[in-house]
Amino acid sequence: MEPSELKRSKDSPNSDESTRRSSFPDEVLERVLSLLKSHRDRSSVSLVCKDWYNAERWSRTHVFIGNCYSVSPEIVARRFPKIRSVTLKGKPRFSDFNLVPENWGADIHAWLVVFAAKYPFLEELRLKRMAISDESLEFLAVSFPNFKALSLLSCDGFSTNGLAAIATHCKNLTELDIQENGIDDKGGSWLSCFPESFTSLEVLNFANLSSDINFDALERLVGRCKSMRVLKLNRSVSLEQLQRLLVNAPQLAELGTGSFSEELTFRQYVELESALSNCKNMHTLSGLWDAKGIYLPALYPVCTHLTFLNLSYAALRSDELAKLLAHCPRLKRLWVLDTVEDKGLEAVGLNCPLLEELRVFPADPFDEEIIHGVTEAGFVAVSFGCPRLHYVLYFCRQMTNAAVATIVQNCPDFTHFRLCIMNPGQPDYITNEPMDEAFGAVVKTCTKLQRLSVSGRLTDLTFEYIGRYAKNLETLSVAFAGSSDWGMQCVMGGCSKLRKLEIRDCPFGNAALLSGLEKYESMRSLWMSACNVTMNGCRLLAREMPRLNVEVMKEDGSDDSQADKVYVYRSIAGPRRDAPPSVLTL
Amino acid sequence: MEGSVGYDNDLNLKATELRLGLPGTEPVSIVRRNKRSLQQVADDDCGVNGCKSDDQNETAPPPPKAQIVGWPPIRSYRKNNIQTKKNESEGGGIYVKVSMDGAPYLRKIDLKVYSGYPELLQAIENMFKFTIGEYSEREGYKGSDYAPTYEDKDGDWMLVGDVPWEMFITSCKRLRIMKGSEARGLGRGV
């Protein structure tokens, strides 16, 4: 609806501003634009002309900031006066893998202070890879009377005391989503801080936390929050307790179970199965820690309408998975551990024709003696059975060029192809050749490819292919690959839509870094660590491109001239002032 | 990050060297990982890595294992969860004695190592060099002179295969491969 309305107004005569103003009042334009949700569309709209820029900024209620240092809170508040929902991302993605120093930054507090002044009616805050303290959480809880939704993903710096503050003060809370954070878990009493009069919670996810919570408090909370649709429990909640919760919440659409392994009596098992079968709306299931094969049949009634099944914390065997999947014909997204092995993946191919996303995580990523896990055969089997597959994250210990070629022939619609051959620099294990042709096949065949992670032994040829064919590529992750600067130059020269590039342990140096001079301002960020970039190269980049922030993280004991870790990003806020001593801004 | 720098630089040079070499000249591994130290990467902050890696150098008779920080790229949260699970389940195997009629001495096996009956029976066949025969609910093990049995928690001698595997490994106290007429009698109705 919205795009055609916009098209009509764009097609109207290209007259001067006054004519446009009289034939198309601002209020109408704002009303139309308020229906636009996509932030990319909104960015495009704001570039049309000054009127549209103003109409857009007055009608925007949600702002998405992909790099918290690309802009300052003051600038955001000046441009957008009516924001009710904010999404902020902070640290570079490689901080998930301990590559970013402690205290690097991305602290939310300065933002909250500005928001408290400018957006007192703020309702939603979604943070990824930000640092947030208990004091900040308390400040948040008391500063925004209308606050409704808090989502923290891969954040750190806070403890359960902060959660207690949120539970205590946010009377209108609908969503509390705590995922994969570095939380200081001081105990489960925070959950008891929700007042007895509080009934508005719709989303509660505390799967991340390890300590026991007060189950009675949880049971009462779930019982009185009749609109609850997402409930993700932590491991301390038992099967028997799960059953008691489900009896009071059959309306749940997404469930994360607790531990799925205690000894149940036959009667308890039947009661659990019955409670689950009453959950007619359930489309997403996760948790299932330590799942025992013998209890999985209790899930069968729910499986028939499941679209997303996350088994990445349940070390299932191939036969256990096969039996379960026979009941999951509608599955679109599946996450598993590689304990299911190739045989388990064959079952995926056989049972889940609608599958769009598959993630296979390694159960023993650091143990070289393990000879299990999945191989190229499992991936190939899935590709034959699941032609709609477009998102894959696959950790394996062996792969061949031929297998990948077959896979993309079966599934040409990949938008996200993330392959991790866990031994760095490993070639095709049958032919001993580099894996260049594998990724060549991916980029040649999958024209919609947006995100690519490469691995294995790769020469510059891989990057020639990427530069030449991956015209829609936005995110590229590279590790232990390439032969020379030429590889990176191909990517910088060829991938016109590239926004995020992260590179580690590759032989790319200053020539490669500087080949992207023109490009970095159209990207969100560049990360290069353990490459051959020097301080001088970084200084040159910083000098030539004043609108980029060029940050170097030095490691103790390394050569003074080497730029160990480089993080480059565009910013209208100038160099940041909160960098720790280990981070040099050039 | 301080402590791991030496290793990181080392690995960089090695990585470059290897790529200039012939394909297939796979070294022992560019990456040599050590489970213990990586758990510490997940748990502690950077400063601790330095101390731990020094320890590794002293203790390893096989080539000292270097760690690559942040590889494979798995979030700390996920690593910690998997490690916990592994440690819990690693709490001792289920070792039971296996005797075979006519054999001079007994053997011991760890039931936890097997994922089901077929694997277990295969292992026992290999161990004693014989064949067990086909299992059926009605007739027990047909086609050979042997029948696998086990003593359960109540002290009764049961035919292997009648109960679910999980239940079997928790109730099995010892195994006995019966031979001859005793074996043929089993499973054919008492």
Side-chain angles (χ1 to χ4, degrees), chain A residues 55 64 105 113 181 246 265 271 347 418 421 428 458 511 520 548:
Chain A
F64 169 86
V113 168
N181 301 290
L246 288 176
T265 66
E271 283 176 350
R418 303 165 63 188
I421 302 167
D428 177 320
L458 301 175
Y520 298 131
L548 295 179

Side-chain angles (χ1 to χ4, degrees), chain B residues 5-187:
Chain B
V5 166
Y7 288 112
D8 266 352
N9 284 343
D10 247 1
L11 289 161
N12 269 344
L13 291 172
K14 285 209 168 92
T16 320
E17 277 174 3
L18 285 159
R19 269 189 277 285
L20 291 174
L22 294 168
T25 52
E26 182 67 50
V28 169
S29 192
I30 308 175
V31 179
R32 286 154 304 168
R33 281 161 250 136
N34 182 301
K35 220 168 17 175
R36 250 180 304 139
S37 44
L38 273 158
Q39 176 158 27
Q40 271 124 24
V41 169
D43 292 339
D44 306 336
D45 75 17
C46 318
V48 187
N49 284 346
C51 314
K52 301 298 172 195
S53 355
D54 287 341
D55 281 345
Q56 255 74 91
N57 272 336
E58 282 160 22
T59 54
K65 293 188 169 199
Q67 64 190 30
I68 289 189
V69 177
W71 189 265
I74 300 172
R75 287 186 180 166
S76 314
Y77 171 65
R78 198 170 274 285
K79 271 189 292 197
N80 291 343
N81 265 276
I82 298 167
Q83 284 295 92
T84 329
K85 177 183 165 55
K86 194 164 198 276
N87 292 337
E88 279 170 18
S89 66
E90 243 166 6
I94 302 177
Y95 281 91
V96 297
K97 290 182 191 171
V98 188
S99 63
M100 170 134 145
D101 293 354
Y105 49 80
L106 281 63
R107 304 295 302 270
K108 238 187 181 172
I109 57 172
D110 176 5
L111 293 179
K112 266 203 167 171
V113 161
Y114 309 104
S115 56
Y117 288 117
E119 262 194 57
L120 169 68
L121 295 175
Q122 180 81 52
I124 296 182
E125 285 180 334
N126 290 341
M127 206 178 250
F128 291 100
K129 308 279 182 287
F130 73 108
T131 334
I132 276 178
E134 286 273 329
Y135 172 77
S136 77
E137 246 183 60
R138 280 181 65 223
E139 304 200 341
Y141 289 86
K142 267 183 24 166
S144 85
D145 264 359
Y146 299 96
T149 66
Y150 70 100
E151 186 184 0
D152 74 357
K153 284 182 180 152
D154 301 326
D156 297 320
W157 284 95
M158 319 283 294
L159 187 68
V160 168
D162 286 335
V163 302
W165 175 253
E166 300 276 351
M167 202 182 290
F168 165 69
I169 59 174
T170 50
S171 55
C172 170
K173 280 170 50 186
R174 56 185 296 167
L175 283 157
R176 176 186 163 199
I177 315 297
M178 281 189 192
K179 189 183 167 172
S181 52
E182 247 191 296
R184 280 192 290 275
L186 275 172

Side-chain angles (χ1 to χ4, degrees), chain A residues 53 62 65 86 126 207 215 338 350 370 379 462 497 569 578:
Chain A
Y53 176 87
H62 170 241
I65 298 162
V86 177
R126 295 173 199 287
F215 182 72
D338 66 356
L350 287 172
I370 293 286
F379 198 168
T462 296
K497 292 199 186 168
Y569 57 93
D578 63 351

Side-chain angles (χ1 to χ4, degrees), chain A residues 98 180 312 363 422 424 504 555, chain B residues 1 5 31 69 71 75 82:
Chain A
N98 300 322
E180 300 187 18
S312 61
M422 288 191 273
R504 62 165 294 180
E555 289 171 3
Chain B
M1 290 299 137
V5 166
V31 179
V69 177
W71 189 265
R75 287 186 180 166
I82 298 167

Side-chain angles (χ1 to χ4, degrees), chain A residues 314-459:
Chain A
L316 296 187
R317 300 186 314 254
S318 52
D319 56 303
E320 290 170 330
L321 179 67
K323 273 197 282 234
L324 187 57
L325 289 182
H327 294 86
C328 306
R330 298 218 179 89
L331 221 52
K332 289 192 182 161
R333 301 171 65 198
L334 176 64
W335 297 15
V336 291
L337 281 178
D338 66 356
T339 51
V340 303
E341 298 186 351
D342 290 334
K343 261 191 96 67
L345 295 181
E346 280 171 34
V348 175
L350 287 172
N351 289 294
C352 307
L354 300 179
L355 200 70
E356 297 176 15
E357 174 180 329
L358 175 68
R359 301 194 196 199
V360 182
F361 296 96
D364 264 307
F366 307 114
D367 198 334
E368 277 177 57
E369 285 84 50
I370 293 286
I371 48 171
H372 302 303
V374 294
T375 72
E376 76 281 7
F379 198 168
V380 170
V382 174
S383 74
F384 274 113
C386 309
R388 297 191 195 186
L389 200 62
H390 68 81
Y391 190 123
V392 106
L393 170 61
Y394 200 81
F395 284 86
C396 58
R397 288 184 175 85
Q398 63 186 52
M399 188 52 62
T400 68
N401 289 308
V404 177
T406 304
I407 287 160
V408 294
Q409 198 171 36
N410 293 336
C411 304
D413 295 329
F414 273 113
T415 54
H416 298 67
F417 192 92
R418 303 165 63 188
L419 176 62
C420 182
I421 302 167
M422 288 191 273
N423 196 10
Q426 183 169 298
D428 177 320
Y429 80 101
I430 290 184
T431 65
N432 252 332
E433 282 172 5
M435 295 297 296
D436 296 333
E437 294 307 319
F439 294 104
V442 172
V443 294
K444 283 178 201 165
T445 315
C446 306
T447 51
K448 300 182 206 159
L449 197 69
Q450 291 169 27
R451 182 173 180 181
L452 179 65
S453 299
V454 298
S455 59
R457 170 164 309 172
L458 301 175
T459 70

Side-chain angles (χ1 to χ4, degrees), chain A residues 17 118 144 158 203 254 275 304 374 420 455 466-467 488 493 519 542:
Chain A
E17 281 189 52
K118 303 291 185 184
F144 304 98
F158 63 107
V203 174
E254 297 184 28
T304 35
V374 294
C420 182
S455 59
I466 293 175
M488 185 170 162
K519 194 138 182 56

